[in-house]
Amino acid sequence: MAEQPRIEASAEGPGRYRIAPTGDMRVPGVVFATEDPLPQAAGDQALAQVVNVAALPGIVGASYAMPDVHWGYGFPIGGVAATDVEAGGVVSPGGVGFDISCGVRLLAARCDRAELAPRLPAVMDSLGARIPRGAGRGAVWELSDSRLDRVLAEGARHAVDSGHGVARDLARCEDGGALTGAAAGGEVGRRARERGLGQLGSLGSGNHFLEVQEVDEVYDEAAAEAMGVRAGQVCVMIHCGSRGLGHQICTDHVRTMDRAMRRYGVRVADRQLAAVPVTSPEGEAYLRAMAAAANYARANRQLLSEAARRAFTGELGTERGGLDLVYDISHNVASLETHRVDGAPRRLCVHRKGATRALPPGHRDLPPELAEVGQPVLIPGTMGTASYLLTGVEGGGAWHSACHGAGRVRSRHGAAREIGGGRLRADLESRGIAVRGTTARGLAEEAPTAYKDIDAVVAATESAGLARRVARLVPLGVVKG
DNA sequence: ATGTAC
């Protein structure tokens, strides 16, 4: 176990802690938190990982940690790191995570809680029957090889073009629903493709979910209205990623980089930080494969949205059951962005792993209808707890990034030992939250006690000036992966 | 997160 690094309050403002550069660190560590900046889990090495990331070739600014930071593979989950592409900056699959483009989508229903209430059990049953979940195969849309190619290249756009959604959906997806520059060749290996064929339109497992929610509180009426949500409204939130395809791509490219690193003279503090220069053939190949997996994840959330729409319209009719996309955003991805560094614009490879992009009002990457309010930032809560809709703010730190969720503080095993799934289900149902899917063990592993308090994480994110609250959502029903 | 171990 590495020694816990020294961390101190930052002079740059409230809600910030700093790890001064020592040893091989090229930049400081910056941890955003209101109090107790140390991750709570016993043996959690997240801060040591913040230090390791600070030593990556080409890193600029700082090695950042969001308020929900916890221990991950190589990089901490809740970590943000940018490298200077033209100054030998590296790209690392560990800085994106195994679940490439894991993310969240929020849809707004055309009804309120009271209108839905009599039909909620039937809607939940229909969702339970329509939403593939759990490990392994199961898909809303079984793909042929050529269809998979289109999904990898065009993401949610191909799903919509094929009748799975409406054109307006794409305007409300980050990057218009498709990252450009996705792999056209062997960067996505045969095993990754095989795993992807049978999983498009599926939740997966762990903390992934589809929830029916109610808008519990609105903090900014104007922003909420621009985004298409209002108090009392029913919403659907989907949290999932690129399933086995993204996992296999990460595995394959970590192995390739682990072998290639020496050739580029890249030395890292932890083998799990395997990295190569962004401009190297291996770096470019990873970014193309990552984009393909990101497109798969976006199409995955699009297909699940369609399944949810069928469940809602089936029970509520085509008018009341309509689901309008609020936004779709990833929290596990690297992107090439231009930012000012020491006063000059630089091309950066920004790794966000368990961190959400949070563009401020007026940013040119926003669609016109969101230009005034900023980028919607979707923060999924833990089962049975609140979720949040935030928006990016001017001057947001960490290259315009925010948190991504509550952040685990107890292992799956530890969580399951603490509370039985049966009791948890009874607790949820006694609070009027319908649960469909998963096993007792699956429920117990995701117990709210295994996570930080989402309200506190979001408050810390806001007070650190990373993003601000637009609305809070609470669950009415959950379909667990 | 993950055909929860190559």
Side-chain angles (χ1 to χ4, degrees):
Chain A
M1 291 266 177
E3 195 181 328
Q4 286 285 0
R6 279 171 60 95
I7 185 164
E8 58 203 14
S10 168
E12 287 178 50
R16 277 178 179 243
Y17 292 78
R18 190 169 185 276
I19 302 170
T22 56
D24 295 331
M25 291 172 73
R26 298 166 193 260
V27 293
V30 170
V31 179
F32 295 98
T34 41
E35 55 185 31
D36 188 11
L38 301 173
Q40 295 163 35
D44 191 301
Q45 296 291 297
L47 295 185
Q49 293 186 318
V50 169
V51 167
N52 292 341
V53 168
L56 285 177
I59 188 169
V60 294
S63 170
Y64 295 102
M66 299 294 119
D68 50 338
V69 69
H70 57 114
W71 198 0
Y73 179 90
F75 283 60
I77 296 163
V80 176
T83 58
D84 187 326
V85 173
E86 279 140 38
V90 294
V91 60
S92 173
V96 170
F98 276 85
D99 192 1
I100 295 168
S101 207
C102 181
V104 187
R105 168 177 284 229
L106 183 68
L107 300 123
R110 298 175 197 155
C111 62
D112 286 353
R113 177 184 190 159
E115 293 172 89
L116 173 67
R119 305 302 301 157
L120 180 62
V123 168
M124 292 307 299
D125 286 341
S126 183
L127 287 170
R130 289 173 191 276
I131 302 295
R133 55 191 180 266
R137 293 178 68 87
V140 174
W141 195 16
E142 290 273 349
L143 301 173
S144 65
D145 238 18
S146 58
R147 281 285 186 187
L148 178 61
D149 284 331
R150 301 281 307 266
V151 167
L152 297 181
E154 300 166 38
R157 197 187 311 144
H158 181 60
V160 170
D161 288 348
S162 305
H164 301 289
V166 295
R168 186 192 169 281
D169 292 342
L170 299 177
R172 290 304 188 91
C173 288
E174 192 180 17
D175 310 309
L179 280 182
T180 54
E187 303 94 328
V188 178
R190 198 168 57 84
R191 287 177 82 191
R193 292 180 61 96
E194 282 169 2
R195 294 178 73 173
L197 285 173
Q199 296 185 322
L200 192 70
S202 65
L203 278 181
S205 59
N207 65 354
H208 289 169
F209 64 73
L210 182 151
E211 272 187 4
V212 178
Q213 304 173 334
E214 177 195 9
V215 179
D216 174 54
E217 191 169 358
V218 170
Y219 307 95
D220 181 334
E221 291 285 350
E225 190 184 345
M227 292 179 189
V229 302
R230 55 184 158 72
Q233 187 172 24
V234 170
C235 289
V236 173
M237 182 175 278
I238 297 167
H239 177 206
C240 65
S242 52
R243 307 288 282 103
L245 179 134
H247 190 280
Q248 192 66 50
I249 285 171
C250 182
T251 301
D252 293 347
H253 286 259
V254 164
R255 182 178 298 137
T256 303
M257 288 192 193
D258 185 60
R259 291 173 184 154
M261 257 190 311
R262 292 176 68 97
R263 258 189 293 124
Y264 297 108
V266 172
R267 282 205 307 272
V268 291
D270 174 354
R271 225 174 145 178
Q272 293 183 353
L273 292 173
V276 295
V278 175
T279 54
S280 67
E282 293 85 354
E284 290 178 349
Y286 170 70
L287 285 173
R288 285 194 297 271
M290 184 210 72
N295 287 339
Y296 185 93
R298 287 134 198 253
N300 189 25
R301 292 192 286 274
Q302 182 68 32
L303 267 293
L304 289 170
S305 304
E306 284 298 283
R309 282 170 167 157
R310 285 194 286 276
F312 269 72
T313 56
E315 298 303 325
L316 299 166
T318 50
E319 180 46 38
R320 305 316 271 169
L323 295 173
D324 301 311
L325 187 56
V326 174
Y327 208 63
D328 179 300
I329 194 165
S330 169
H331 50 233
N332 274 7
V333 80
S335 71
L336 299 177
E337 302 167 9
T338 301
H339 291 271
R340 295 192 86 81
V341 180
D342 299 329
R346 302 295 301 176
R347 197 76 180 141
L348 304 182
C349 179
V350 184
H351 301 74
R352 292 187 183 86
K353 179 189 193 178
T356 316
R357 202 173 186 197
L359 297 174
H363 195 282
R364 62 183 178 154
D365 289 352
L366 290 169
E369 69 266 35
L370 297 174
E372 278 189 33
V373 292
Q375 186 170 35
V377 176
L378 303 173
I379 308 300
T382 306
M383 187 171 56
T385 69
S387 294
Y388 280 88
L389 170 61
L390 313 180
T391 187
V393 295
E394 209 58 63
W399 319 114
H400 296 307
S401 307
C403 63
H404 88 301
R408 189 175 271 279
V409 290
R410 204 178 308 284
S411 71
R412 288 182 178 154
H413 182 72
R417 197 170 40 200
E418 200 170 71
I419 185 167
R423 201 181 114 202
L424 200 55
R425 185 182 294 266
D427 284 353
L428 290 166
E429 289 181 349
S430 75
R431 290 163 50 207
I433 303 168
V435 183
R436 298 290 185 276
T438 199
T439 57
R441 170 81 191 195
L443 277 182
E445 288 179 351
E446 295 302 317
T449 50
Y451 288 85
K452 287 186 192 173
D453 176 359
I454 186 76
D455 300 299
V457 166
V458 167
T461 299
E462 184 166 301
S463 60
L466 298 169
R468 68 188 171 82
R469 282 174 281 208
V470 173
R472 181 177 192 265
L473 303 109
V474 294
L476 303 175
V478 54
V479 180
K480 279 301 294 178

